[in-house]
Amino acid sequence: MATPAGSAEIVPTYGPNDGKEIAPGVRIVEVGTWDSDMTGMKSVLVLDAVFQPGAADVESVMDNDMVCFITAGEFTIKKTNPDKEFNVKKGEYYTCGKGKTDHATNISKEVGIHRITVLIPA
């Protein structure tokens, strides 16, 4: 029997100084860049956003379309255009659209990690 994609266990371990701090308690670690075979996409950039418990990123407008996978923790995601708010947990995905506003807060008591795949247009 095949293993469902959502059950894969990928929880990287990062030190307190890995990556670059983008907000108090939030660091971005670059995982890598790969060429893309998707129509209209030159490459994909993979980043891990590492959030300490209770930490939040700065509300920002997305420069590119992105797919986010939660590898650890639980988050509240707030979006505008249209306004909506929802929670995502370890093993769940959500998307961010270019030109749309997004804001994440780690609501768990553990370090939370977003594995972000940024789609880079050709």
Side-chain angles (χ1 to χ4, degrees), residues 75-90:
F75 294 84
T76 294
I77 308 298
K78 293 181 183 178
K79 295 179 170 279
T80 58
N81 307 342
D83 290 340
K84 63 180 173 176
E85 183 175 319
F86 55 92
N87 289 351
V88 288
K89 301 178 198 175
K90 179 179 175 179

Side-chain angles (χ1 to χ4, degrees), residues 58-60 62 77-79 94 96 100-104:
V58 177
E59 184 177 290
S60 57
M62 302 298 105
I77 308 298
K78 293 181 183 178
K79 295 179 170 279
Y94 74 99
C96 302
K100 300 203 176 189
T101 302
D102 195 273
H103 178 61

Side-chain angles (χ1 to χ4, degrees), residues 12-30:
T13 303
Y14 294 111
N17 298 316
D18 288 337
K20 176 184 175 185
E21 186 173 68
I22 61 165
V26 183
R27 300 187 76 80
I28 293 288
V29 179
E30 188 169 328

